[in-house]
PDB file of all heavy atoms in Angstrom:
ATOM      1  N   LYS A 346      87.598  71.525 120.254  1.00 97.00           N
ATOM      2  CA  LYS A 346      88.732  71.802 119.475  1.00 97.00           C
ATOM      3  C   LYS A 346      89.792  72.631 120.299  1.00 97.00           C
ATOM      4  O   LYS A 346      90.913  72.982 119.828  1.00 97.00           O
ATOM      5  CB  LYS A 346      88.410  72.610 118.230  1.00 97.00           C
ATOM      6  CG  LYS A 346      87.788  71.664 117.167  1.00 97.00           C
ATOM      7  CD  LYS A 346      87.554  72.478 115.838  1.00 97.00           C
ATOM      8  CE  LYS A 346      87.721  71.635 114.644  1.00 97.00           C
ATOM      9  NZ  LYS A 346      87.662  72.421 113.475  1.00 97.00           N
ATOM     10  N   LEU A 347      89.354  73.092 121.465  1.00 97.00           N
ATOM     11  CA  LEU A 347      90.348  73.792 122.342  1.00 97.00           C
ATOM     12  C   LEU A 347      91.447  72.913 122.826  1.00 97.00           C
ATOM     13  O   LEU A 347      92.504  73.305 123.205  1.00 97.00           O
ATOM     14  CB  LEU A 347      89.617  74.394 123.556  1.00 97.00           C
ATOM     15  CG  LEU A 347      88.860  75.743 123.247  1.00 97.00           C
ATOM     16  CD1 LEU A 347      87.891  75.979 124.529  1.00 97.00           C
ATOM     17  CD2 LEU A 347      89.628  76.900 123.018  1.00 97.00           C
ATOM     18  N   ILE A 348      91.143  71.684 122.891  1.00 96.00           N
ATOM     19  CA  ILE A 348      92.070  70.742 123.505  1.00 96.00           C
ATOM     20  C   ILE A 348      93.189  70.356 122.610  1.00 96.00           C
ATOM     21  O   ILE A 348      92.937  69.838 121.519  1.00 96.00           O
ATOM     22  CB  ILE A 348      91.297  69.446 124.120  1.00 96.00           C
ATOM     23  CG1 ILE A 348      90.231  69.955 125.143  1.00 96.00           C
ATOM     24  CG2 ILE A 348      92.212  68.412 124.633  1.00 96.00           C
ATOM     25  CD1 ILE A 348      89.202  68.940 125.548  1.00 96.00           C
ATOM     26  N   PHE A 349      94.353  70.417 123.090  1.00 96.00           N
ATOM     27  CA  PHE A 349      95.593  70.161 122.207  1.00 96.00           C
ATOM     28  C   PHE A 349      95.678  68.594 122.078  1.00 96.00           C
ATOM     29  O   PHE A 349      95.612  67.847 123.097  1.00 96.00           O
ATOM     30  CB  PHE A 349      96.769  70.767 122.816  1.00 96.00           C
ATOM     31  CG  PHE A 349      98.031  70.526 122.015  1.00 96.00           C
ATOM     32  CD1 PHE A 349      98.109  71.176 120.716  1.00 96.00           C
ATOM     33  CD2 PHE A 349      99.095  69.862 122.506  1.00 96.00           C
ATOM     34  CE1 PHE A 349      99.282  70.926 119.988  1.00 96.00           C
ATOM     35  CE2 PHE A 349     100.301  69.633 121.762  1.00 96.00           C
ATOM     36  CZ  PHE A 349     100.368  70.168 120.517  1.00 96.00           C
ATOM     37  N   LYS A 350      95.912  68.110 120.959  1.00 93.00           N
ATOM     38  CA  LYS A 350      96.203  66.668 120.677  1.00 93.00           C
ATOM     39  C   LYS A 350      95.782  65.717 121.782  1.00 93.00           C
ATOM     40  O   LYS A 350      94.562  65.399 121.850  1.00 93.00           O
ATOM     41  CB  LYS A 350      97.761  66.462 120.371  1.00 93.00           C
ATOM     42  CG  LYS A 350      98.071  67.039 118.976  1.00 93.00           C
ATOM     43  CD  LYS A 350      99.593  66.745 118.800  1.00 93.00           C
ATOM     44  CE  LYS A 350      99.896  67.361 117.447  1.00 93.00           C
ATOM     45  NZ  LYS A 350     101.414  67.591 117.300  1.00 93.00           N
ATOM     46  N   ASN A 351      96.774  65.144 122.571  1.00 88.00           N
ATOM     47  CA  ASN A 351      96.321  64.116 123.576  1.00 88.00           C
ATOM     48  C   ASN A 351      95.986  64.657 124.901  1.00 88.00           C
ATOM     49  O   ASN A 351      95.896  63.963 125.882  1.00 88.00           O
ATOM     50  CB  ASN A 351      97.524  63.061 123.627  1.00 88.00           C
ATOM     51  CG  ASN A 351      97.795  62.453 122.395  1.00 88.00           C
ATOM     52  OD1 ASN A 351      96.875  62.182 121.603  1.00 88.00           O
ATOM     53  ND2 ASN A 351      99.102  62.236 122.163  1.00 88.00           N
ATOM     54  N   SER A 352      95.859  66.039 125.043  1.00 93.00           N
ATOM     55  CA  SER A 352      95.585  66.568 126.313  1.00 93.00           C
ATOM     56  C   SER A 352      94.064  66.329 126.607  1.00 93.00           C
ATOM     57  O   SER A 352      93.427  65.607 125.910  1.00 93.00           O
ATOM     58  CB  SER A 352      95.903  68.143 126.242  1.00 93.00           C
ATOM     59  OG  SER A 352      95.735  68.671 127.499  1.00 93.00           O
ATOM     60  N   ASN A 353      93.649  66.914 127.754  1.00 94.00           N
ATOM     61  CA  ASN A 353      92.221  66.770 128.207  1.00 94.00           C
ATOM     62  C   ASN A 353      91.768  68.164 128.660  1.00 94.00           C
ATOM     63  O   ASN A 353      92.477  69.095 128.835  1.00 94.00           O
ATOM     64  CB  ASN A 353      92.252  65.697 129.284  1.00 94.00           C
ATOM     65  CG  ASN A 353      93.195  65.982 130.448  1.00 94.00           C
ATOM     66  OD1 ASN A 353      93.362  67.198 130.849  1.00 94.00           O
ATOM     67  ND2 ASN A 353      93.968  64.961 130.902  1.00 94.00           N
ATOM     68  N   GLU A 354      90.510  68.058 129.089  1.00 94.00           N
ATOM     69  CA  GLU A 354      89.839  69.260 129.389  1.00 94.00           C
ATOM     70  C   GLU A 354      90.401  69.886 130.591  1.00 94.00           C
ATOM     71  O   GLU A 354      90.614  71.201 130.641  1.00 94.00           O
ATOM     72  CB  GLU A 354      88.345  68.952 129.813  1.00 94.00           C
ATOM     73  CG  GLU A 354      87.378  70.053 129.504  1.00 94.00           C
ATOM     74  CD  GLU A 354      85.926  69.644 129.639  1.00 94.00           C
ATOM     75  OE1 GLU A 354      85.477  68.802 128.890  1.00 94.00           O
ATOM     76  OE2 GLU A 354      85.255  70.193 130.552  1.00 94.00           O
ATOM     77  N   GLU A 355      90.753  69.143 131.578  1.00 95.00           N
ATOM     78  CA  GLU A 355      91.321  69.623 132.858  1.00 95.00           C
ATOM     79  C   GLU A 355      92.640  70.332 132.640  1.00 95.00           C
ATOM     80  O   GLU A 355      92.837  71.558 133.101  1.00 95.00           O
ATOM     81  CB  GLU A 355      91.555  68.503 133.865  1.00 95.00           C
ATOM     82  CG  GLU A 355      91.745  68.875 135.260  1.00 95.00           C
ATOM     83  CD  GLU A 355      92.014  67.691 136.087  1.00 95.00           C
ATOM     84  OE1 GLU A 355      91.481  66.564 135.756  1.00 95.00           O
ATOM     85  OE2 GLU A 355      92.809  67.780 137.023  1.00 95.00           O
ATOM     86  N   ASN A 356      93.564  69.758 131.855  1.00 95.00           N
ATOM     87  CA  ASN A 356      94.877  70.399 131.576  1.00 95.00           C
ATOM     88  C   ASN A 356      94.674  71.563 130.679  1.00 95.00           C
ATOM     89  O   ASN A 356      95.387  72.574 130.938  1.00 95.00           O
ATOM     90  CB  ASN A 356      95.813  69.470 130.882  1.00 95.00           C
ATOM     91  CG  ASN A 356      96.310  68.289 131.804  1.00 95.00           C
ATOM     92  OD1 ASN A 356      96.152  68.516 133.096  1.00 95.00           O
ATOM     93  ND2 ASN A 356      96.790  67.192 131.351  1.00 95.00           N
ATOM     94  N   THR A 357      93.695  71.557 129.858  1.00 96.00           N
ATOM     95  CA  THR A 357      93.458  72.790 128.938  1.00 96.00           C
ATOM     96  C   THR A 357      93.015  73.936 129.820  1.00 96.00           C
ATOM     97  O   THR A 357      93.502  75.011 129.640  1.00 96.00           O
ATOM     98  CB  THR A 357      92.463  72.353 127.864  1.00 96.00           C
ATOM     99  OG1 THR A 357      92.905  71.217 127.147  1.00 96.00           O
ATOM    100  CG2 THR A 357      92.256  73.498 126.895  1.00 96.00           C
TER     101      THR A 357
END
Side-chain angles (χ1 to χ4, degrees):
K346 285 183 148 188
L347 282 168
I348 300 168
F349 184 64
K350 287 182 186 162
N351 302 322
S352 188
N353 54 42
E354 207 172 298
E355 198 183 326
N356 288 342
T357 303

